[in-house]
């Protein structure tokens, strides 16, 4: 009896809990149950649709455009970004083949372009930039008229911003659109619009504006430069020569060379006994501070 009592007094080893096999829940079932809902990736059927980027030369005319202009505006006003992309591509078709129908709503269209460029969706942003390319080629100087001037200035700023981005495929399209803008418009009024951005606080915007200014000036003769103002023009170039980005400085050098050629090849200057380099040096020293004049003279080979 004593032995039996001692056995009963000894502590017993606790029984280990039983292990249960893990059951994998299918991915679809996890979504159904709402597991990890805030971090779940979208299912294939909810993924964003693929947007086609159509080249200008591949765009076709719109059948019966008179009856479809209203549906175009409805598409541009849509809250569905894919429908806005589709409408922007149709706007490109109107611009290229039926521009007279698009003219009355041009101001509103530019507002839509600006809004789309601000959208964080790269596909919508790029499509709007491509649309601006075709609109520049189709309407040119019309965009500078008083009725659309404010909308154009907003569009210009957005293109300079997008050309300054790190997203290469957006940046390249914006560069193309800015180049189309310069090609399609008279340089003098456009130069006045661009002038506001050479002192912008964003150094990338200054550089992109400098490139467009350089392209504008290369299209101008001496009379156009004089109408803008030779002295303000060389002062703009002198300021950009010391800018932060190489792209802006190189554009400024191209501007200086264009002004130099126009100034020294003028008939009045050709009849001078002084060499072109001497004439240029005198002009720069007369209108710029010494350090700026020195920089401008160095650009021109002696």
């Amino acid at each position: 009896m004593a032995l039996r009592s001692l056995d009963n007094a000894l502590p017993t080893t606790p029984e280990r809990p039983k292990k249960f096999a893990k059951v994998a829940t299918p991915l679809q079932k996890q979504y159904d149950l709402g597991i990890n809902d805030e971090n779940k990736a979208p299912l294939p059927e909810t993924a964003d649709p693929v947007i086609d980027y159509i080249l200008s030369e591949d765009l076709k005319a719109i059948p019966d455009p008179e009856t479809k202009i209203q549906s175009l505006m409805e598409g541009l006003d849509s809250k569905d970004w894919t429908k806005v992309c589709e409408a922007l591509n149709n706007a490109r078709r109107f611009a290229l083949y039926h521009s007279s129908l698009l003219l009355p709503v041009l101001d509103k269209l530019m507002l839509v372009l600006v809004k789309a460029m601000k959208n964080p969706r790269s596909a919508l942003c790029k499509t709007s930039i491509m649309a601006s390319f075709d609109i520049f080629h189709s309407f040119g100087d019309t965009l500078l008229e008083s009725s659309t001037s404010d909308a154009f200035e907003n569009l210009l700023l957005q293109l300079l911003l997008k050309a300054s981005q790190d997203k290469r495929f957006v940046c390249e399209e914006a560069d193309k659109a800015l180049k189309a803008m310069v090609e399609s418009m008279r340089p003098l009024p456009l130069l006045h619009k661009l002038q506001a951005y050479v002192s912008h606080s964003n150094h990338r915007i200054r550089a992109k504006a400098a490139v467009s200014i350089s392209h504008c000036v290369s299209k101008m003769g001496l009379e156009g430069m004089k109408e803008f103002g030779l002295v303000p023009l060389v002062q703009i170039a002198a300021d950009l020569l010391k800018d932060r980005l190489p792209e802006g400085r190189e554009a400024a050098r191209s501007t200086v060379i264009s002004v130099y050629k126009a100034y020294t090849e003028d008939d009045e200057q050709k009849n001078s006994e002084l060499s072109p380099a001497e004439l240029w040096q005198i002009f720069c020293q007369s209108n710029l501070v010494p350090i700026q004049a020195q920089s401008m003279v160095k650009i021109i080979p002696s």
Side-chain angles (χ1 to χ4, degrees):
M1 287 296 291
L3 182 60
R4 186 178 299 169
S5 299
L6 182 61
D7 290 341
N8 292 336
L10 291 173
T12 59
T13 303
E15 185 180 353
R16 292 184 179 179
K18 295 180 179 179
K19 292 185 178 180
F20 295 95
K22 293 182 178 179
V23 179
T25 305
L27 180 61
Q28 181 61 53
K29 190 66 176 177
Q30 291 182 27
Y31 279 96
D32 293 342
L33 295 174
I35 296 175
N36 200 24
D37 184 68
E38 72 277 9
N39 294 319
K40 68 184 182 182
L43 291 173
E45 60 266 26
T46 63
D48 285 344
V50 176
I51 300 298
D52 291 328
Y53 302 116
I54 308 171
L55 298 177
S56 300
E57 53 267 30
D58 294 331
L59 291 166
K60 307 298 182 184
I62 295 177
D64 194 15
E66 290 82 2
T67 60
K68 293 183 179 178
I69 189 68
Q70 183 58 39
S71 62
L72 170 69
M73 301 314 300
E74 292 171 359
L76 293 172
D77 288 334
S78 175
K79 297 187 182 300
D80 183 337
W81 71 273
T82 60
K83 291 182 179 179
V84 177
C85 282
E86 182 182 353
L88 286 172
N89 279 327
N90 284 332
R92 297 171 65 197
R93 297 166 70 191
F94 271 101
L96 293 174
Y97 298 103
H98 323 284
S99 58
S100 60
L101 294 174
L102 199 59
L103 186 59
V105 295
L106 194 55
D107 188 77
K108 181 176 181 178
L109 175 58
M110 285 194 286
L111 294 177
V112 174
L113 290 176
V114 170
K115 183 178 179 180
M117 286 183 199
K118 293 179 180 179
N119 193 287
R121 292 187 181 275
S122 297
L124 180 56
C125 178
K126 181 173 178 176
T127 302
S128 65
I129 294 172
M130 295 177 75
S132 68
F133 175 95
D134 293 318
I135 288 167
F136 286 144
H137 275 308
S138 297
F139 293 99
D141 289 330
T142 303
L143 301 174
L144 297 173
E145 295 177 359
S146 58
S147 59
T148 58
S149 180
D150 290 342
F152 169 75
E153 289 178 8
N154 292 330
L155 179 59
L156 173 58
L157 175 58
Q158 283 304 310
L159 285 172
L160 291 171
L161 282 167
K162 296 308 173 185
S164 307
Q165 276 195 358
D166 292 328
K167 292 181 180 178
R168 184 174 177 181
F169 78 107
V170 172
C171 176
E172 289 177 349
E173 285 301 327
D175 281 334
K176 291 178 185 177
L178 288 169
K179 187 175 181 181
M181 174 189 71
V182 174
E183 290 174 350
S184 62
M185 296 180 180
R186 288 177 293 122
L188 182 59
L190 182 56
L191 193 55
H192 283 293
K193 300 289 186 183
L194 290 165
Q195 184 181 7
Y197 298 102
V198 296
S199 57
H200 198 280
S201 58
N202 186 321
H203 60 280
R204 293 186 176 187
I205 289 180
R206 288 199 305 271
K208 293 300 180 180
V211 172
S212 292
I213 286 172
S214 172
H215 292 159
C216 273
V217 174
S218 68
K219 293 174 60 180
M220 301 173 74
L222 182 62
E223 292 306 313
M225 294 179 189
K226 285 181 176 179
E227 190 173 349
F228 179 83
L230 272 176
V231 174
L233 194 54
V234 294
Q235 286 175 337
I236 288 172
D239 288 338
L240 290 170
L241 282 173
K242 61 180 187 296
D243 207 55
R244 180 173 172 180
L245 291 181
E247 185 179 22
R249 297 195 297 271
E250 183 58 35
R253 282 191 283 270
S254 297
T255 299
V256 172
I257 292 172
S258 294
V259 176
Y260 166 79
K261 288 181 178 179
Y263 181 74
T264 57
E265 290 178 3
D266 182 60
D267 291 338
E268 182 179 345
Q269 307 301 338
K270 282 183 177 180
N271 294 328
S272 173
E273 295 179 357
L274 300 175
S275 68
E278 290 171 328
L279 289 169
W280 181 246
Q281 183 175 1
I282 292 170
F283 173 78
C284 291
Q285 290 174 342
S286 302
N287 296 290
L288 300 170
V289 297
I291 190 171
Q292 288 180 325
Q294 186 178 7
S295 299
M296 300 285 274
V297 171
K298 282 183 179 179
I299 294 173
I300 307 302
S302 56

